Amino acid sequence: MHSPLLDLAATSRGEGTVRLLWGQGTGSFGAGPSYPVDPDPSSIVTGDFNADGKLDLAVSSRVNHTVSVLLGDGVGGFAPPITSPAGNDTGWLAAGDFKRDGNLDLAVTNWGSTSVLLLPGDGTGRFGAPLTFTAGGKFTSLTAADFDRNGTLDLAVTCEDPNSLIILKNDGNGGFGVSAEYALGAVPIEISSGDFDGDGWADLVVTNQDDTGATVLLNNGTGAFGRGTNYFPGGNPSSVTLGDMNIKMGRSTW
């Protein structure tokens, strides 16, 4: 059985477009089409927003304060964007069924604000009125995972001023409240989650752009996190991704 050929979708801030590159299965990519979206697109995520079994794209626009959803046809084509309001300075996106109604929702940070928005999906690629949750300092990025393994997706949000990580626990209906806060290095800029120690609990990694490199925080098995360990000191890291790069006995090493 052959693995699917992975393609790439990237935002172009200067053009206000999403560009596609078709995977060749050799590590190289061929040129694909581009699709216009609202100006200054920043974050992009994939998901099946209209529940037809085909991947769609959601893109945030910092200038127009919107999220655009491009519905995929399953063969590389996308419909014109469906645009929804998403607060001021729309930033990082995370997709998930936060309300547990079978429809994909979007969690959104607004750059420099103290709020996270939840855009409830209606199953057609459109979203209802944003729900606002306020906590902590100026939010930069976020990721979603079931940190306490209770069957609902929670959020981990990085903050600048103060430099910290805030865990927003899902109440089971798409409502969020602060459950914990952890200190980070200067200017935490991006966050991602994965099981780094193989215990079945979602851990976190954060890049601190002006300070301590990448900080890994391990889940203690209750949904809380221990003191972070820093890697890649210096170098002003800005972004991070996860994967088993060396396939060593099924486990990766840093």
Side-chain angles (χ1 to χ4, degrees):
M1 181 177 178
H2 294 287
S3 299
L5 300 182
L6 291 180
D7 308 307
L8 294 177
T11 58
S12 174
R13 297 182 68 179
E15 295 179 350
T17 61
V18 171
R19 289 186 169 188
L20 300 183
L21 296 173
W22 303 134
Q24 307 299 300
T26 62
S28 61
F29 294 86
S34 61
Y35 295 91
V37 292
D38 278 359
D40 196 16
S42 50
S43 182
I44 183 171
V45 295
T46 59
D48 184 4
F49 293 101
N50 62 343
D52 64 353
K54 301 164 186 174
L55 274 184
D56 311 310
L57 299 171
V59 185
S60 63
S61 167
R62 190 169 180 178
V63 170
N64 280 19
H65 319 304
T66 57
V67 167
S68 298
V69 171
L70 294 84
L71 298 178
D73 62 10
V75 293
F78 290 87
I82 301 169
T83 301
S84 301
N88 293 328
D89 287 333
T90 309
W92 206 259
L93 302 177
D97 185 6
F98 298 105
K99 295 175 67 65
R100 299 195 300 175
D101 59 1
N103 298 324
L104 270 189
D105 312 306
L106 282 174
V108 185
T109 59
N110 296 133
W111 292 105
S113 80
T114 60
S115 63
V116 170
L117 300 185
L118 180 67
L119 305 183
D122 67 1
T124 70
R126 295 172 175 81
F127 299 92
L131 307 174
T132 302
F133 304 96
T134 301
K138 298 178 179 179
F139 292 145
T140 52
S141 67
L142 81 169
T143 190
D146 185 3
F147 296 116
D148 53 5
R149 298 205 310 191
N150 69 345
T152 62
L153 283 175
D154 309 305
L155 294 171
V157 190
T158 56
C159 301
E160 180 186 0
D161 188 24
N163 297 307
S164 62
L165 162 70
I166 292 178
I167 304 298
L168 297 175
K169 182 175 173 58
N170 192 334
D171 65 7
N173 298 303
F176 293 90
V178 176
S179 67
E181 185 171 359
Y182 303 91
L184 293 173
V187 191
I189 197 68
E190 188 170 334
I191 187 170
S192 191
S193 62
D195 182 7
F196 300 125
D197 54 1
D199 65 354
W201 293 81
D203 308 308
L204 292 167
V205 58
V206 180
T207 53
N208 304 294
Q209 192 172 50
D210 287 354
D211 194 356
T212 51
T215 301
V216 172
L217 299 96
L218 297 180
N219 195 318
N220 68 6
T222 68
F225 295 85
R227 183 175 179 179
T229 301
N230 295 322
Y231 297 86
F232 312 132
N236 304 110
S238 58
S239 188
V240 64
T241 192
L242 314 177
D244 191 353
M245 314 294 181
N246 63 356
I247 319 178
K248 184 178 180 181
M249 299 298 289
R251 300 285 294 275
S252 294
T253 56
W254 284 87

